[in-house]
Amino acid sequence: MAKYLLLKHYRGAPAAAHDVPMDQWTPEEISAHVQYMNDFAARLESTGEFVDSQALSAEGTFVRYDGEGRPPITDGPFAETKDLIAGWMVIDVDTHERALELAGELSAAPGADGKPIHEWLEVRPFLTATPTGTECGFHQG
């Protein structure tokens, strides 16, 4: 099995076919969207394909190292001018084709007026090893 990240964007991906920003949805439309996502995750949990999902707030700050003994440099928040990640789902599936199939289904989550959004989701495989053959990850343990 291989892990894939299904990455949802508020902004930065190609425009969805039914492109109505979430801040213009009714509370009922938001609830229906969240319920669809929860039902989708529950179904994948029952097949052993669900790993994790998280939603993110619109706030965020870029941070980078600025040298020994110096405080980190920050940039932002400037959410209005940057790619904005809405959240993600991690799946563990047998094939790349299955990852694409699930992303296509997730793209049909309802939005404004209860219509499928047809949003673009980014599908990214997890690295399992570096070019040198060692395990890859932020945390080894």
Side-chain angles (χ1 to χ4, degrees):
M1 305 245 313
K3 289 183 182 161
Y4 288 85
L5 177 69
L6 306 181
L7 193 55
K8 294 176 64 76
H9 296 260
Y10 283 121
R11 187 173 42 254
H18 187 56
D19 194 21
V20 178
M22 192 178 238
D23 63 359
Q24 295 176 21
W25 297 2
T26 67
E28 295 79 18
E29 292 165 342
I30 293 171
S31 292
H33 181 81
V34 170
Q35 187 63 53
Y36 182 97
M37 303 286 291
N38 289 339
D39 292 346
F40 184 84
R43 186 168 52 85
L44 294 185
E45 203 166 22
S46 74
T47 64
E49 296 173 305
F50 178 81
V51 176
D52 185 34
S53 65
Q54 298 290 322
L56 299 172
S57 73
E59 291 99 37
T61 304
F62 282 94
V63 178
R64 76 174 178 113
Y65 175 74
D66 193 38
E68 189 65 38
R70 299 179 71 173
I73 294 177
T74 61
D75 180 25
F78 302 110
E80 68 281 356
T81 61
K82 292 186 173 25
D83 178 26
L84 191 56
I85 305 298
W88 69 85
M89 181 175 288
V90 177
I91 57 174
D92 196 358
V93 295
D94 288 329
T95 65
H96 180 73
E97 290 74 22
R98 177 66 174 153
L100 297 178
E101 175 187 339
L102 292 173
E105 188 177 334
L106 189 58
S107 169
D113 301 321
K115 296 178 184 174
I117 300 171
H118 298 272
E119 69 181 319
W120 289 92
L121 297 173
E122 188 174 349
V123 179
R124 305 219 13 214
F126 278 52
L127 286 176
T128 56
T130 65
T132 62
T134 59
E135 185 177 321
C136 181
F138 283 110
H139 175 69
Q140 308 262 329

